[in-house]
Amino acid sequence: MGEQDRKAHLLKLATTVVAATFLLVGVAGFVPGLTTNVDNLEIVGHDHANMGSQAELLGIFHVSVLHNIVHLAFGVVGLAMARSVRGASTYLVGGAMVYALVLVYGVVVDQGSDANFLPVNTADNWLHGGLVVGMLALALALTPSRRSTIVRREDVHH
């Protein structure tokens, strides 16, 4: 296996792992024990005068039904895109861009306001920043060079 083939394989594998992690996080957001106050899980929002989700994944990251569904959908999309080199690279770079926007949102939104509909907290902001860096790093390190990449049969038909 040549260097470019190895990178392509690792890119698709890394994207599959990232996507599967999002699926697991989405499911975990509904599981009592992994998520505290799961009985208070709301569709959107945060604990604003007890009118939003008080649930926290691992007791750290605020979650809501919407938040969990977004993680599940992001995971499903990633698994589909991980089947090709172009899709895997696009997922990682595009996902990093989405999480950069979510990070900016988390930094500027008043965490105690109704505008914090996702919901996010400081721990989420740090995690989202790490996702931006990690997903970009994976894409940059593992995306094969376009000049030397030969279109592989598996990428054409899958």
Side-chain angles (χ1 to χ4, degrees), residues 1 4 8 10 14 16 23-24 27 29 35 40 46 48 56 60 69 73 90 92 96 110 114 122 125 134 137-139:
M1 181 183 296
Q4 296 305 312
L10 289 174
T16 299
L23 279 174
L24 289 172
V27 169
T35 299
N40 292 320
H46 64 312
H48 180 63
E56 292 181 320
I60 301 170
I69 289 171
T90 299
L92 291 174
D110 178 0
D114 291 334
T122 303
N125 292 340
L138 286 171

Side-chain angles (χ1 to χ4, degrees), residues 75-143:
V76 169
V77 168
L79 289 177
M81 293 182 78
R83 295 175 57 181
S84 74
V85 171
R86 179 178 284 182
S89 183
T90 299
Y91 176 79
L92 291 174
V93 172
M97 291 169 47
V98 167
Y99 274 98
L101 293 173
V102 173
L103 174 60
V104 169
Y105 164 81
V107 169
V108 299
V109 71
D110 178 0
Q111 292 180 5
S113 76
D114 291 334
N116 189 10
F117 67 92
L118 279 180
V120 293
N121 61 14
T122 303
D124 289 303
N125 292 340
W126 281 101
L127 178 61
H128 296 150
L131 286 169
V132 170
V133 171
M135 291 173 82
L136 282 177
L138 286 171
L140 289 172
L142 299 176
T143 299

